[in-house]
Amino acid sequence: MIRAVIEGVCYHLRWMLEAQDRKITTSKTIRYAGGGALSETTCQVLADVTGRTVETIKEPQNAGSVGAALVAGLGLGVIDSFEAVKEIVKPSKVFKAQAINKPIYDRGFAVYKQLYRSNRKHFEKLNADK
């Protein structure tokens, strides 16, 4: 059940990335942060579903605090540039999409989108004001 939830979240992210790609060029690498990035299984599923490289950093659950400190450092002039930030925060693990899983996740993604569209009227009922 938990894996199905993870795959559903990854499918939705893939859908959003594909929509963005129609407007602008997005990165082929996802820098994954937060508590979810602690799970190597989740990182690999994200890579496989999106077909993108997924990078995590050391202690990804602290990324927000580290980011705030880096922005403060930039603002105070302690850190010279955004390029210098790339040298401070480097990926600790990299997950590549596994080609063997592509047809499985492509089929699942097609079904995911069909289910979403066919359930639209049900979502409207569930979200209607009472």
Side-chain angles (χ1 to χ4, degrees):
M1 291 290 285
I2 292 170
R3 187 177 180 103
V5 170
I6 291 167
E7 288 175 350
V9 170
C10 293
Y11 283 143
H12 201 76
L13 180 58
R14 176 177 169 176
W15 205 356
M16 290 187 304
L17 288 169
E18 287 181 0
Q20 283 181 321
D21 282 338
R22 288 193 295 272
K23 301 272 184 191
I24 61 170
T25 302
T26 59
S27 174
K28 296 302 175 194
T29 301
I30 297 170
R31 180 68 63 94
Y32 189 23
L38 293 169
S39 166
E40 291 189 10
T41 299
T42 302
C43 294
Q44 189 60 58
V45 170
L46 180 59
D48 289 343
V49 167
T50 62
R52 298 178 188 224
T53 300
V54 174
E55 297 176 344
T56 61
I57 58 172
K58 186 177 177 185
E59 299 182 26
Q61 71 277 20
N62 297 324
S65 300
V66 171
L70 292 169
V71 169
L74 281 163
L76 293 170
V78 176
I79 300 171
D80 295 331
S81 67
F82 280 104
E83 292 301 316
V85 170
K86 290 180 184 178
E87 294 303 313
I88 296 169
V89 181
K90 295 182 179 183
S92 62
K93 292 184 181 174
V94 177
F95 301 84
K96 301 273 187 184
Q98 297 175 359
I100 194 167
N101 293 329
K102 183 174 179 10
I104 297 165
Y105 282 120
D106 285 350
R107 184 179 66 238
F109 181 57
V111 171
Y112 174 84
K113 291 192 298 185
Q114 290 170 346
L115 287 170
Y116 185 87
R117 289 181 179 118
S118 67
N119 281 320
R120 180 174 272 159
K121 63 182 176 239
H122 301 298
F123 295 149
E124 289 172 2
K125 287 179 186 175
L126 288 171
N127 293 313
D129 290 331
K130 296 178 178 145

